[in-house]
Amino acid sequence: MNIYQEELLDHYENPSNYGTLPNPDISHEEDNPLCGDRIRIDLGVEDGIIKKVRFSGHGCTISLAAASMLTEEIAGKSLAEVKQLSRDDILEMIGIPLGPVRVKCALLPLKVLKAGAYGITAWPGEEDA
């Protein structure tokens, strides 16, 4: 378990793909209102393949490390493959058991990614900002 904790800390302290793309083909941002974490993911897509990916935002170690790990995972994949990523895929990347509140932190980047990939601008029941 210690090796997974070290990997999480490394992704938090030295995140992969941190920043924004100047002209992303897909960009989406969401927050977790319970804890204040906020993640944005930008994608550069060519012929349905993710050629460039960046994330930005602020939050806890789990949400930022999950975003970093997720961006590494999706680089070079198709949007169709990205749409198939699941909760279990993210939790497997994290590699340590998480309580319910921390699971929401870990899944925020996946929610942002999928919303962008599917073109969702508002979730059912939420007002468009």
Side-chain angles (χ1 to χ4, degrees):
M1 175 122 44
N2 216 8
I3 194 161
Y4 289 110
Q5 290 171 334
E6 288 175 21
E7 185 177 1
L8 277 174
L9 283 176
D10 186 49
H11 274 280
Y12 175 72
E13 293 170 354
N14 307 295
S16 297
N17 304 305
Y18 191 83
T20 58
L21 293 177
N23 296 303
D25 297 301
I26 295 172
S27 182
H28 192 77
E29 185 172 344
E30 298 253 347
D31 67 352
N32 179 345
L34 298 176
C35 66
D37 291 357
R38 184 163 202 77
I39 299 289
R40 171 183 164 164
I41 295 180
D42 294 341
L43 302 176
V45 180
E46 291 178 32
D47 298 321
I49 304 296
I50 297 169
K51 299 292 186 175
K52 298 177 188 173
V53 59
R54 298 285 181 275
F55 86 93
S56 59
H58 59 270
C60 68
T61 301
I62 299 292
S63 65
L64 293 178
S68 176
M69 293 169 149
L70 184 60
T71 61
E72 284 185 349
E73 178 70 23
I74 66 170
K77 291 196 174 184
S78 70
L79 287 176
E81 289 174 295
V82 164
K83 290 176 181 179
Q84 298 304 309
L85 288 172
S86 71
R87 171 187 199 275
D88 291 339
D89 294 324
I90 295 297
L91 296 179
E92 187 176 314
M93 279 183 228
I94 298 293
I96 60 172
L98 300 172
V101 172
R102 291 296 184 203
V103 167
K104 287 188 180 286
C105 297
L107 296 178
L108 178 60
L110 180 63
K111 178 183 178 186
V112 171
L113 175 65
K114 284 197 164 200
Y118 280 105
I120 296 171
T121 57
W123 296 99
E126 293 180 357
E127 297 295 328
D128 236 352

